[in-house]
Amino acid sequence: MGNLGMDDVAPNARIVVAMSGGVDSSTAAALMVESGYDVVGVTLQLYDHGEAIGRKGGCCAGQDIYDARLVAEALGIPHYVLDYESQFRESVMEEFADSYVRGETPIPCVRCNQTVKFRDLLKTAKDLNAECLVTGHYVRRVVGQDGGEMHRAQDPAKDQSYFLYATTRDQLDYLRFPLGGMTKAETRHHAERFSLPVAAKSESQDICFVPDGNYAKVIERLRPGAWEPGEILDLNGKVIGQHEGIVNFTVGQRRGLGVAAEHPLYVIKVDPERRQVIAGPRSALEKTELKVSAVNWIGPGDAPPSQLRVGVKIRSTSTADACVIRYVDDSWVVIFDEPQLGIAPGQAAVFYDGDRVLGGGWIQREG
């Protein structure tokens, strides 16, 4: 089936499409219908809409469920809305809040893909006797010598492989990503060609349960005790200011410190035990190493070798920078060729060999 990545799925097979109500997953569903598959659309209700819908564009808000239903009706396919609120709260929202309280900068989209979507929804798809689960993610699944491999999307601007590094081999065998070989413009073109009711819909926000992008407000609701004041220190341990809660700070942050200084100050470290924020010059952000935990490996072999040269992304918007990964004292260490700025605990370090995703893990806090 061309570049849709469905060549190994039997014609007329039943498939489940995860439909978020956005243009990407809706177009993926339409392409599957056009290709002759027996398509079942599934949308997840992930959180209590109520006050959470402070704006349109959240990936799973009430409007989006309605939009997914409209698309399914237009395509003439069955559509189910599954209540995954308890799973989402436990696996994603609670962990999001706890991570901030630990002085980290979490990525809830990775947790959501890792648990609710690619664990729970995948099981539901199998229960429906589907041959595969199709999503609208921009990533490519390539069949190699040892089965399915994950590769970056054809369109670098839309590539979502960073958020999908925790996908397991078994999950990758069952998943399909028909948009991975397309640009966003091509997807829009198909949506218009199919006259989908969401063809002109704007992009969804990454964090669907955070209204108006106000992370602190969500954390305050989930963890009322997280808003404890503390001190802002310089690199020598001198108190240079006060803060209202460490949840307002992330490594590399420049704005919002509320401290007057001769030179720009950045958040260098967040110490949750002492409720302290350590600030310093931009140069103090430079690091040549980081530790990674809970590594998921989907590269060649059953596990990474004890030492390997790879490219690594330490945030979704960064490039894959050259480094060596080593297994030292029961943990993985990333050693960069060039110093990196703003390595934030709680973010992911994702390993690449060219376009192929080898896996990755969580960046650990120092000390």
Side-chain angles (χ1 to χ4, degrees):
M1 284 212 50
N3 64 349
L4 296 183
M6 300 292 291
D7 292 338
D8 56 349
V9 181
N12 305 316
R14 170 174 289 182
I15 63 172
V16 167
V17 179
M19 299 179 66
S20 69
V23 66
D24 295 330
S25 61
S26 297
T27 301
L31 288 167
M32 296 301 97
V33 171
E34 182 181 54
S35 300
Y37 292 109
D38 175 15
V39 180
V40 177
V42 173
T43 301
L44 304 182
Q45 179 173 317
L46 298 181
Y47 58 92
D48 183 7
H49 310 308
E51 293 183 359
I53 311 175
R55 43 130 177 86
K56 289 188 67 175
C59 72
C60 311
Q63 179 65 42
D64 296 313
I65 292 176
Y66 176 74
D67 288 343
R69 184 175 289 121
L70 284 181
V71 171
E73 289 176 357
L75 295 175
I77 61 173
H79 177 248
Y80 300 97
V81 178
L82 304 182
D83 183 355
Y84 276 31
E85 282 190 31
S86 60
Q87 296 100 314
F88 185 73
R89 183 181 180 94
E90 178 182 344
S91 300
V92 181
M93 295 177 68
E94 299 283 354
E95 174 58 30
F96 172 81
D98 286 340
S99 185
Y100 262 110
V101 172
R102 292 193 299 264
E104 300 172 346
T105 306
I107 321 173
C109 297
V110 171
R111 294 286 187 191
C112 186
N113 291 327
Q114 184 181 26
T115 57
V116 177
K117 290 181 181 175
F118 289 175
R119 183 191 65 197
D120 300 335
L121 177 56
L122 192 142
K123 180 180 182 300
T124 297
K126 289 184 176 180
D127 289 343
L128 290 170
N129 296 317
E131 290 294 314
C132 65
L133 173 62
V134 168
T135 80
H137 288 104
Y138 285 88
V139 68
R140 289 182 298 135
R141 177 184 176 275
V142 176
V143 179
Q145 290 183 343
D146 300 319
E149 301 174 357
M150 183 180 292
H151 289 241
R152 295 194 231 210
Q154 197 72 36
D155 184 354
K158 293 299 298 177
D159 174 54
Q160 293 174 294
S161 61
Y162 178 87
F163 298 104
L164 300 174
Y165 83 86
T167 306
T168 66
R169 293 182 191 275
D170 287 344
Q171 291 168 348
L172 199 52
D173 283 341
Y174 193 67
L175 289 161
R176 299 294 185 276
F177 310 103
L179 304 188
M182 299 184 192
T183 64
K184 183 69 177 192
E186 288 176 301
T187 299
R188 291 277 186 195
H189 169 74
H190 285 301
E192 292 167 0
R193 179 170 68 84
F194 291 121
S195 299
L196 296 180
V198 296
K201 189 172 181 178
S202 59
E203 291 285 300
S204 62
Q205 300 296 317
D206 279 340
I207 303 181
C208 57
F209 61 90
V210 181
D212 302 323
N214 191 338
Y215 300 172
K217 183 178 179 182
V218 172
I219 297 164
E220 183 179 18
R221 177 166 56 84
L222 293 171
R223 295 291 181 273
W227 282 79
E228 295 186 46
E231 300 170 331
I232 301 176
L233 280 59
D234 66 14
L235 295 179
N236 297 317
K238 178 184 176 182
V239 177
I240 57 175
Q242 304 291 324
H243 66 79
E244 296 181 352
I246 62 168
V247 295
N248 293 301
F249 300 93
T250 183
V251 172
Q253 178 179 331
R254 178 181 172 186
R255 301 184 184 277
L257 270 69
V259 176
E262 186 176 343
H263 302 289
L265 291 177
Y266 296 79
V267 175
I268 306 301
K269 183 180 179 182
V270 177
D271 187 334
E273 285 79 16
R274 297 181 177 85
R275 302 197 306 277
Q276 293 176 338
V277 174
I278 292 83
R282 187 173 184 268
S283 59
L285 287 170
E286 291 187 348
K287 305 286 184 183
T288 56
E289 294 187 11
L290 62 84
K291 284 189 176 181
V292 182
S293 67
V295 169
N296 178 60
W297 182 255
I298 50 175
D302 295 331
S306 58
Q307 179 167 310
L308 184 66
R309 187 155 191 82
V310 299
V312 65
K313 291 180 67 168
I314 57 173
R315 63 183 68 85
S316 62
T317 56
S318 70
T319 57
D321 294 298
C323 69
V324 170
I325 55 173
R326 290 178 182 162
Y327 189 64
V328 180
D329 297 330
D330 296 328
S331 65
W332 287 97
V333 178
V334 175
I335 305 168
F336 293 98
D337 288 9
E338 301 290 339
Q340 302 296 307
L341 291 170
I343 297 174
Q347 295 280 290
V350 181
F351 313 139
Y352 292 85
D353 178 9
D355 280 340
R356 183 177 179 181
V357 182
L358 302 177
W362 298 106
I363 298 174
Q364 295 301 289
R365 182 163 59 91
E366 296 179 4

